[in-house]
């Protein structure tokens, strides 16, 4: 991924983009997760809204298995002026990546321990067997007028995120935009070119209230790529369960009662074999042999067939088998990423890097 450096800094560029969107759209949505990127994005949009005396919508999809500190951040945003909070606490199935027995957490099904928020949205469209992938289109259907939806996605985090930003621009001359399932709703990424340090510099300079989980993660020497605020049973975040009893003991106790696999993940999520594919177990000669063992002994027939069907389309080499082991270990049967495509993108990135150098 090559970069073009300009005289203006990323803050000036983001402020110009924000002004452009407020000029073009009467309705502005800001998606919120409680994380650093969405908090910084909200602050930029909120400053523009205050300046223009406009109301902005803030959308938070509550996945129930959230940090308590995340909920506090969203409540803080809810109480700010010029904000119309759309807090979704609707029933849907969230993939549980820490258990073979319980595929999903049935969020907000009436057994939830955390209480509903006073003004939350608790029903939307058809909620029968609703998964995360089906929930988003249901929410997008609600928009009947042209709306700009702002998302705090940064392209430097991964090639997939870079591709999501620039692959298919939804608006002419705005390559940091993409389409949704509703033509009235367009996604925009005003901070797509920001770096990790840019985000924290802005939070410090503007004295923004941020999620204190980051302080705990920093104190525990988490790598910056591991400092995530997301649903605690998500396949990208379950490693945080190891330290959850220290960070938020009440949240950990609640999760143990509600979701299977939490205690096991807390004990083993950072080891190199049980949930991770960092090290090949000594009694296996290859990643292929280990993969076939896991596949043969998978307890869920339907999921096993889905893994087998997916793996047939992958290249046959040890690097790919290792990735397949990683998916099996966390039972990521819903994964739709093609390993071959990922490998090709990495090769293209490396090739372009050396072309730029030469």
């Amino acid at each position: 991924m090559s970069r073009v450096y300009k005289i203006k800094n990323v803050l000036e560029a983001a402020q110009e983009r924000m002004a452009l969107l407020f000029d073009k759209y009467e309705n502005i949505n800001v998606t919120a997760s409680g994380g650093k990127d969405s908090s910084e994005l909200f602050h930029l949009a909120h400053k523009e809204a205050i300046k223009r005396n406009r109301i902005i919508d803030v959308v938070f999809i509550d996945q129930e298995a959230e940090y308590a500190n995340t909920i506090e951040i969203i409540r803080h945003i809810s109480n700010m002026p010029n904000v119309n909070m759309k807090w979704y606490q609707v029933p849907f199935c969230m993939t549980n990546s820490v258990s073979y027995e319980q595929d999903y957490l049935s969020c907000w099904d009436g057994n939830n321990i955390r209480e509903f928020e006073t003004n939350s949205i608790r029903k939307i469209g058809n909620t029968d067997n609703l998964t995360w992938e089906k929930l988003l289109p249901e929410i997008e259907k609600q928009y009947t007028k042209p709306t700009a939806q702002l998302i705090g996605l940064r392209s430097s985090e991964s090639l997939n995120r870079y591709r999501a930003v620039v692959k298919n621009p939804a608006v002419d001359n705005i390559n940091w935009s993409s389409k949704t399932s509703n033509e009235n709703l367009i996604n925009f990424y005003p901070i797509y070119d920001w770096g990790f340090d840019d985000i924290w510099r802005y939070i410090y300079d503007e004295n923004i209230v941020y999620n204190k989980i980051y302080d705990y993660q920093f104190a525990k020497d988490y790598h910056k790529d591991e400092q995530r605020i997301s649903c605690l049973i998500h396949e990208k975040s379950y490693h945080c369960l190891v330290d959850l009893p220290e960070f938020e003991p009440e949240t950990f106790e609640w999760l143990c009662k509600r979701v299977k696999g939490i205690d096991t993940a807390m004990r083993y999520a950072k080891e190199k074999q049980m949930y991770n594919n960092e090290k090949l177990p000594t009694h296996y000669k290859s990643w292929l042999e280990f993969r076939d063992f896991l596949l043969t002994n998978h307890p869920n027939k339907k999921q096993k067939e889905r893994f087998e069907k997916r793996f047939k389309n992958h290249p046959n080499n040890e690097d790919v088998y290792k990735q397949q082991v990683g998916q099996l270990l966390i039972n990521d049967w819903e994964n739709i990423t093609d390993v071959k495509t990922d490998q090709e993108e990495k090769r293209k990135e490396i090739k372009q890097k050396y072309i730029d150098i030469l």
Side-chain angles (χ1 to χ4, degrees):
M1 173 169 49
S2 59
R3 293 190 175 125
V4 177
Y5 292 93
K6 299 182 179 181
I7 295 176
K8 70 179 68 172
N9 60 41
V10 292
L11 174 57
E12 293 168 337
Q15 289 170 333
E16 290 180 6
R17 293 168 192 150
M18 200 64 70
L20 173 65
L21 294 176
F22 272 79
D23 287 342
K24 287 176 65 70
Y25 291 91
E26 184 176 337
N27 302 305
I28 301 289
N29 263 13
V30 182
T31 58
S33 67
K36 63 185 185 305
D37 297 342
S38 71
S39 294
E40 183 273 338
L41 176 66
F42 164 74
H43 191 270
L44 276 173
H46 189 246
K47 287 185 74 172
E48 191 70 24
I50 294 293
K51 183 168 66 175
R52 299 178 184 232
N53 194 27
R54 296 262 298 272
I55 303 294
I56 57 173
D57 289 341
V58 176
V59 176
F60 175 59
I61 303 176
D62 194 332
Q63 300 165 84
E64 195 176 344
E66 307 274 9
Y67 284 110
N69 276 274
T70 295
I71 300 306
E72 290 304 312
I73 288 295
I74 302 301
R75 286 174 181 159
H76 169 75
I77 292 174
S78 299
N79 292 325
M80 296 185 72
N82 296 66
V83 168
N84 176 38
M85 175 60 71
K86 293 185 175 180
W87 193 320
Y88 288 94
Q89 292 181 314
V90 299
F92 75 100
C93 297
M94 187 70 199
T95 303
N96 179 16
S97 65
V98 299
S99 173
Y100 282 94
E101 295 182 63
Q102 183 183 359
D103 296 337
Y104 294 103
L105 166 64
S106 297
C107 300
W108 307 111
D109 62 356
N111 296 316
N112 43 291
I113 296 177
R114 177 156 54 91
E115 296 294 331
F116 285 105
E117 297 298 309
T118 303
N119 297 315
S120 65
I121 300 169
R122 302 172 196 176
K123 184 171 178 57
I124 178 173
N126 180 15
T127 58
D128 294 336
N129 300 316
L130 200 61
T131 61
W132 176 262
E133 291 75 17
K134 295 177 181 178
L135 174 62
L136 296 180
E138 286 294 330
I139 292 176
E140 290 169 356
K141 287 179 184 178
Q142 310 304 307
Y143 296 92
T144 58
K145 296 180 180 179
T147 302
Q149 179 160 266
L150 314 188
I151 300 175
L153 183 150
R154 294 186 293 110
S155 61
S156 63
E157 291 189 300
S158 72
L159 282 172
N160 280 336
R161 294 200 168 198
Y162 173 72
R163 184 169 52 196
V165 171
V166 302
K167 187 177 181 181
N168 295 306
V171 179
D172 292 340
N173 301 318
I174 301 182
N175 63 351
W176 38 278
S177 65
S178 67
K179 296 179 181 179
T180 71
S181 60
N182 181 349
E183 61 181 12
N184 288 317
L185 185 68
I186 304 295
N187 288 334
F188 293 95
Y189 313 97
I191 61 169
Y192 76 95
D193 50 358
W194 285 51
F196 180 84
D197 295 338
D198 297 321
I199 295 292
W200 284 112
R201 172 63 185 270
Y202 185 82
I203 288 174
Y204 175 81
D205 287 346
E206 297 290 329
N207 195 28
I208 297 174
V209 176
Y210 64 90
N211 198 318
K212 293 303 178 184
I213 289 297
Y214 288 116
D215 290 344
Y216 301 146
Q217 293 176 342
F218 180 79
K220 295 286 285 189
D221 202 27
Y222 278 48
H223 186 272
K224 67 178 183 179
D225 293 336
E226 297 175 325
Q227 295 177 19
R228 298 181 60 88
I229 304 296
S230 183
C231 175
L232 287 160
I233 57 173
H234 189 272
E235 61 266 18
K236 301 295 184 182
S237 304
Y238 68 88
H239 297 87
C240 298
L241 291 170
V242 172
D243 296 308
L244 185 61
E246 180 180 349
F247 292 171
E248 292 186 0
E250 291 183 359
T251 302
F252 176 72
E253 182 180 359
W254 166 75
L255 282 176
C256 285
K257 294 177 181 177
R258 185 85 164 92
V259 187
K260 289 187 177 181
I262 296 298
D263 186 64
T264 303
M266 182 275 291
R267 296 174 185 273
Y268 302 111
K270 287 191 176 180
E271 291 194 359
K272 294 183 178 181
Q273 292 179 345
M274 185 159 181
Y275 285 92
N276 296 295
N277 58 341
E278 293 182 28
K279 184 178 179 181
L280 181 68
T282 54
H283 46 287
Y284 294 100
K285 296 179 181 179
S286 67
W287 287 106
L288 174 60
E289 185 181 349
F290 187 30
R291 185 209 70 176
D292 288 345
F293 169 79
L294 294 173
L295 205 52
T296 300
N297 292 280
H298 197 289
N300 187 303
K301 181 180 178 181
K302 185 176 180 180
Q303 293 174 9
K304 176 184 175 181
E305 291 174 349
R306 187 158 178 171
F307 276 118
E308 290 173 336
K309 183 178 179 181
R310 182 198 311 165
F311 292 167
K312 284 182 180 180
N313 297 319
H314 290 173
N316 296 314
N317 61 66
E318 280 291 286
D319 180 59
V320 172
Y321 301 145
K322 182 180 179 181
Q323 293 183 59
Q324 292 170 347
V325 165
Q327 294 177 12
L328 285 163
L329 287 174
I330 63 171
N331 199 29
D332 189 12
W333 58 274
E334 286 188 310
N335 186 294
I336 58 172
T337 302
D338 191 298
V339 174
K340 181 178 179 181
T341 301
D342 283 353
Q343 292 299 305
E344 290 176 347
E345 289 294 334
K346 289 178 182 177
R347 293 190 188 100
K348 288 179 183 178
E349 181 188 18
I350 294 170
K351 182 179 179 181
Q352 185 62 49
K353 175 182 176 181
Y354 285 102
I355 289 175
D356 292 342
I357 292 173
L358 295 172

